[in-house]
Amino acid sequence: MGSRLIRGFMSGTLMVLVLAGVFWLIPAPDRETEEPSQDESTDVAVLPPDDGSDQPTETAAPSPPAIEDTSEPTDDQTDPERVARAFMTTYPGDVHSLADPTFLATLDAVDAPMLQQVMDMRLEQVDHTTGDIYERYAFSVHGTYQGEKVTVYTIVVARPADPGEGGGAAQNDLPFQIHSFDWAPDMLGDANSPGPAAGELSPITAEQRGDLIAQTRTDVITPVLTVDPDESIEQRQARLGELMVEPTDVTPPMSRSGRYAMTTEILSQAYSTEPGGPITITYAGTWVDPYDPSYNGSWSLTATITRGSGGGLMVHNVTLTTASTGERNVG
């Protein structure tokens, strides 16, 4: 009987010694890499997630959408994609720092709340051209609108193609700016099925930007420079009043005697919009007496473009910017 107790006691003692040895062999956690708990407690257990992984569950706030990084969007405006992306993530918010002054002027009275309903927006480059005046990139913006994936709009970013004195095209470090905005066909729809942007006031489009200078020159500047000898002052004012909101008091260059008009030529035309102002287009050229070439000079007219009552762009007035006369010898 006693021998059984002794054997039992020895077996129990041996088991305790084995367990103690195992306990001391297990390494302690490394305090340099151990993650502290959020509530500074040392006795909170970390349970595995439902998928069976042994990684601790994350309780931090979800990260923002991965589509865009809006921090310092205008840090490098020599990158056209960065400028386009900054516009996409900001508009209809403040885009003054991204917009060409002429484009910015067309944002007056434009409201695009539907853009705030577009989710999962992404950018795609669709074109790149370099002309005599501008280097242009076109980007389309895609997203999900009311549960449907659509192309939302296209923007053109541009910068002068000539970097200025002393630099070639490869050294062009001039900033890109937004030049135009076009709703996509998905948003415009058609006459039978209007889209959500149908009838909405829009910033200047690529087509309008390209045509506005030529249309204003043909429809307004040329008539202002035209002289009709049989037309009274009142008739001239009435004629020009139909072309602009405020009739102009600009008179075309005339001969010394005032009996006939000079021959005029337009040599340059360009947007000259000041930031924060309306669209302005300046036309410059020369005039010469067709019967006395020694009598000649130069002129410059500025057309101011504003929003009309119907939302369209129209000429507000035309002013004489510069005028000069001079004599020259013609061989």
Side-chain angles (χ1 to χ4, degrees), residues 61-74:
S63 59
I67 56 169
E68 306 305 332
D69 177 11
T70 60
S71 61
E72 300 181 5
T74 60

Side-chain angles (χ1 to χ4, degrees), residues 237-289:
Q237 289 178 335
R239 171 172 62 86
L240 298 180
E242 296 179 355
L243 307 177
M244 59 193 80
V245 177
E246 293 183 356
T248 181
D249 58 0
V250 172
T251 56
M254 299 290 292
S255 64
R256 291 186 178 92
S257 64
R259 290 197 299 265
Y260 57 90
M262 300 292 93
T263 300
T264 59
E265 182 179 9
I266 298 176
L267 301 179
S268 66
Q269 50 195 15
Y271 294 101
S272 55
T273 305
E274 294 294 330
I279 298 175
T280 53
I281 307 175
T282 299
Y283 301 83
T286 59
W287 58 266
V288 62
D289 189 324

Side-chain angles (χ1 to χ4, degrees), residues 31 72 77 94 137 150 157 160 191 229 233 248 259 269 282 302 314-315:
R31 293 186 181 274
E72 300 181 5
Q77 284 192 233
D94 182 3
Y137 286 82
V150 296
V157 300
I233 295 177
T248 181
R259 290 197 299 265
Q269 50 195 15
T282 299
T302 297
M314 62 184 304
V315 176

Side-chain angles (χ1 to χ4, degrees), residues 54-298:
D54 58 358
Q55 296 297 319
T57 56
E58 295 290 338
T59 59
S63 59
I67 56 169
E68 306 305 332
D69 177 11
T70 60
S71 61
E72 300 181 5
T74 60
D75 183 52
D76 181 12
Q77 284 192 233
T78 62
D79 182 346
E81 181 175 345
R82 186 176 179 86
V83 173
R85 191 175 300 277
F87 180 88
M88 179 183 75
T89 57
T90 303
Y91 189 70
D94 182 3
V95 293
H96 282 62
S97 61
L98 303 169
D100 162 77
T102 295
F103 175 77
L104 184 62
T106 70
L107 295 181
D108 290 342
V110 173
D111 188 15
M114 70 187 70
L115 289 178
Q116 297 172 340
Q117 303 176 42
V118 180
M119 310 300 293
D120 304 323
M121 300 176 76
R122 63 181 180 86
L123 194 70
E124 179 184 357
Q125 180 182 325
V126 294
D127 194 20
H128 173 220
T129 59
T130 301
D132 294 336
I133 300 176
Y134 288 110
E135 178 184 10
R136 294 182 175 89
Y137 286 82
F139 294 90
S140 59
V141 174
H142 308 264
T144 302
Y145 179 74
Q146 295 185 349
E148 184 177 352
K149 293 185 181 298
V150 296
T151 301
V152 187
Y153 60 83
T154 299
I155 52 174
V156 172
V157 300
R159 68 178 176 185
D162 183 1
E165 184 177 354
Q171 289 79 43
N172 193 343
D173 59 356
L174 297 176
F176 282 95
Q177 295 179 310
I178 306 298
H179 269 217
S180 62
F181 175 107
D182 288 81
W183 287 111
D186 291 331
M187 301 299 285
L188 288 175
D190 54 37
N192 297 325
S193 179
E200 292 288 331
L201 199 59
S202 175
I204 193 169
T205 67
E207 182 179 6
Q208 285 176 323
R209 177 134 192 161
D211 293 346
L212 193 57
I213 285 181
Q215 289 177 343
T216 303
R217 170 178 171 166
T218 301
D219 299 342
V220 179
I221 300 301
T222 297
V224 167
L225 294 174
T226 297
V227 174
D228 183 350
D230 298 326
E231 187 178 55
S232 67
I233 295 177
E234 291 76 13
Q235 290 172 327
R236 173 180 169 83
Q237 289 178 335
R239 171 172 62 86
L240 298 180
E242 296 179 355
L243 307 177
M244 59 193 80
V245 177
E246 293 183 356
T248 181
D249 58 0
V250 172
T251 56
M254 299 290 292
S255 64
R256 291 186 178 92
S257 64
R259 290 197 299 265
Y260 57 90
M262 300 292 93
T263 300
T264 59
E265 182 179 9
I266 298 176
L267 301 179
S268 66
Q269 50 195 15
Y271 294 101
S272 55
T273 305
E274 294 294 330
I279 298 175
T280 53
I281 307 175
T282 299
Y283 301 83
T286 59
W287 58 266
V288 62
D289 189 324
Y291 303 104
D292 181 9
S294 66
Y295 184 56
N296 60 84
S298 61

